């Protein structure tokens, strides 16, 4: 039996055949691309969704927006979605600022400050060498009242900080309250790159204890720590207290080099990648052999808590203060094609005994909670209960 097919049906069948062939070819091509480029299909889904979102916004959104800002926010959201609080996305500008800061340099007016919200006070903690602040004789305890026409009293903290920020080589008028004299003056300061103060040492009132406050473990901090320790020992210090409270961490290389000066021969840190590859940092036989203590709090993070853990495990120091949060990943920056970067947890790290700090942190030998009104950078020695506990432990 012969069945006749109309022209319209023939055209429809040809079209269906073409569509089917195209679909099969597309599926085959997708599988082939997936084999050649793992993740191709997942990338295509992401790009497709973002493209659909952009097209919908451009078609119907009644406002105006910056496309690059939207892309940066989308990238930041994706990295946040992996659920690792230590991984992040940085725009090109943020990455450039991060790189400068992590290298142990600072761009601005060369001051490390502490802000107290209750009293609305912005006080100087450290003056960086080579800054205009050093030339002007600014000192710890001096207060910044305002800058660039903005004041803390009328405009608030954020507006004042924004007024201080600006392009390199430009100047800003800063209003300073001098703690020593009680005088208020407005000085002109240049925005420029200076070396950060990352560690600072001094002798305590007992005349035998050297105190080393480590603000961070960025690159170059190990040299400042070593210089501070050597100077204190030359001044007659017979015991050392390291203060890593409020220390946000820093470089693996820097913390391991700082520990190498203090630890006996042996493992310091083991790093392990996703593929199982390991890097082991070791210390040599040279060590400083004096009684030591480390002060920690809940804001002693990453390299800071690892510093305390390593000294504790080798019985080189007693740890005093609060339980630390527990971070066990190190991060690497992966620069993207447009100059932005991923700050990504790509290695797990382990203490000298092979333990991870994730979920546990460092448990102090002498748990001491700081008072609610305790001001770390300006409290008198006698009012620092964590320091006093450390001194009692060192003295027997």
């Amino acid at each position: 039996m012969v069945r006749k097919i109309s022209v319209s049906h023939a055209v429809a069948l040809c079209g269906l055949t073409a569509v089917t062939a195209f679909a099969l070819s597309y599926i085959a091509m997708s599988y082939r691309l997936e084999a050649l480029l793992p993740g191709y299909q997942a990338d295509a889904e992401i790009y497709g969704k973002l493209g659909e979102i952009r097209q919908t916004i451009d078609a119907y959104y009644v406002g105006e927006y910056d496309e690059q800002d939207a892309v940066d926010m989308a990238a930041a959201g994706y990295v946040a979605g992996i659920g690792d609080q230590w991984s992040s996305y940085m725009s090109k500008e943020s990455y450039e600022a991060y790189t400068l800061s992590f290298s142990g340099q600072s761009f601005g007016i060369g001051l490390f400050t502490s802000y107290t919200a209750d009293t609305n006070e912005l006080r100087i903690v450290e003056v960086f060498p080579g800054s205009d602040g050093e030339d002007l004789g600014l000192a710890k305890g001096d207060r910044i009242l305002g800058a660039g026409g903005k004041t803390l009293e009328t405009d608030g903290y954020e507006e004042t900080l924004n007024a201080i920020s600006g392009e390199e080589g430009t100047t800003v008028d800063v209003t300073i309250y001098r703690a020593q004299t009680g005088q208020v003056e407005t000085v002109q300061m240049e925005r420029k790159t200076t070396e950060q103060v990352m560690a600072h040492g001094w002798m305590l009132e007992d005349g035998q204890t050297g105190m080393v406050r480590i603000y961070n473990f960025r690159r170059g901090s190990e040299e400042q720590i070593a210089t501070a320790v050597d100077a204190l020992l030359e001044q007659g210090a017979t015991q050392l207290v390291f203060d890593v409270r409020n220390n946000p961490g820093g470089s693996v290389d820097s913390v391991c080099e700082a520990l190498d000066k203090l630890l006996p021969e042996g493992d310091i840190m083991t790093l392990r990648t996703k593929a199982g590859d390991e890097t082991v940092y070791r210390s040599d036989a040279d060590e400083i052999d004096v009684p030591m203590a480390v002060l920690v709090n809940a804001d002693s993070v990453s390299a800071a808590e690892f510093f305390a853990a390593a000294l504790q495990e080798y019985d080189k120091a007693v740890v005093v203060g609060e339980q630390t949060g527990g971070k066990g990943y190190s991060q690497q920056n992966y620069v993207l094609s447009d100059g932005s970067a991923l700050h990504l947890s790509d290695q797990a790290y382990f203490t000298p005994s092979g333990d991870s700090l994730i979920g546990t942190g460092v448990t102090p030998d002498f748990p001491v909670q700081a008072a609610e009104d305790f001001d770390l950078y300006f409290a008198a020695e006698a009012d620092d209960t964590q320091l006093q506990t450390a001194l009692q432990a060192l003295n027997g």
Side-chain angles (χ1 to χ4, degrees), residues 136 138 141-147 150-153 173-188:
L136 292 165
L138 301 185
D142 290 348
R143 287 159 45 201
I144 296 176
L145 303 181
K150 303 291 184 179
T151 67
L152 281 171
E153 184 178 3
D173 291 334
V174 183
T175 304
I176 301 290
Y177 171 85
R178 300 270 189 172
Q180 288 284 344
T181 63
Q183 294 181 334
V184 176
E185 60 179 302
T186 298
V187 297
Q188 189 177 80

Side-chain angles (χ1 to χ4, degrees), residues 140-309:
K140 179 178 180 178
D142 290 348
R143 287 159 45 201
I144 296 176
L145 303 181
K150 303 291 184 179
T151 67
L152 281 171
E153 184 178 3
T154 60
D155 302 293
Y157 174 65
E158 293 293 340
E159 287 293 324
T160 303
L161 277 192
N162 290 337
I164 292 174
S165 302
E167 295 182 2
E168 187 165 9
T170 60
T171 59
V172 60
D173 291 334
V174 183
T175 304
I176 301 290
Y177 171 85
R178 300 270 189 172
Q180 288 284 344
T181 63
Q183 294 181 334
V184 176
E185 60 179 302
T186 298
V187 297
Q188 189 177 80
M189 302 183 70
E190 181 183 356
R191 303 177 178 100
K192 57 185 176 181
T193 300
T194 54
E195 181 184 0
Q196 296 179 33
V197 174
M198 295 173 280
H200 176 68
W202 68 94
M203 291 293 293
L204 295 183
E205 295 170 359
D206 62 11
Q208 65 174 349
T209 306
M211 179 80 158
V212 182
R213 175 163 287 152
I214 307 173
Y215 296 110
N216 60 66
F217 284 98
R218 293 169 185 157
R219 294 190 182 100
S221 61
E222 70 279 4
E223 297 174 3
Q224 294 187 16
I225 295 167
T227 298
V229 168
D230 290 342
L232 291 170
L233 294 176
E234 288 178 5
Q235 293 173 47
T238 58
Q239 55 191 24
L240 297 169
V241 175
F242 294 96
D243 187 356
V244 294
R245 291 173 293 184
N246 290 9
N247 183 318
S251 164
V252 166
D253 290 341
S254 294
V255 70
C256 288
E257 287 188 35
L259 285 166
D260 183 21
K261 186 179 178 70
L262 307 174
L263 295 177
E265 185 174 7
D267 291 351
I268 301 176
M269 176 189 288
T270 300
L271 292 171
R272 187 175 302 148
T273 69
K274 186 174 184 177
D277 299 325
E278 289 190 348
T279 301
V280 180
Y281 287 80
R282 289 181 55 83
S283 60
D284 56 30
D286 295 332
E287 61 176 311
I288 291 176
D289 193 15
V290 298
M292 303 178 197
V294 184
L295 303 179
V296 297
N297 64 9
D299 293 317
S300 301
V301 181
S302 188
E305 61 181 340
F306 189 91
F307 180 83

Side-chain angles (χ1 to χ4, degrees), residues 46 52 63 120 127 177 200 252 270 315 320 373 376 379 383 389:
I46 294 171
E52 188 177 357
N120 196 30
V127 180
Y177 171 85
H200 176 68
V252 166
T270 300
D315 290 327
V320 180
D373 59 349
L376 174 62
D383 297 330
T389 302

Side-chain angles (χ1 to χ4, degrees), residues 21-68:
F22 176 79
L24 292 173
S25 298
Y26 178 80
I27 293 171
M29 183 180 67
S30 296
Y31 280 118
R32 186 175 180 184
L33 285 172
E34 183 68 24
L36 293 173
L37 302 170
Y40 165 79
Q41 290 182 338
D43 289 345
E45 289 180 8
I46 294 171
Y47 301 150
K49 176 169 284 191
L50 288 177
E52 188 177 357
I53 290 172
R54 183 184 65 80
Q55 290 172 2
T56 304
I57 289 172
D58 289 346
Y60 302 108
Y61 178 54
V62 295
E64 296 181 355
Y65 75 100
D66 186 300
E67 189 172 89
Q68 186 57 52

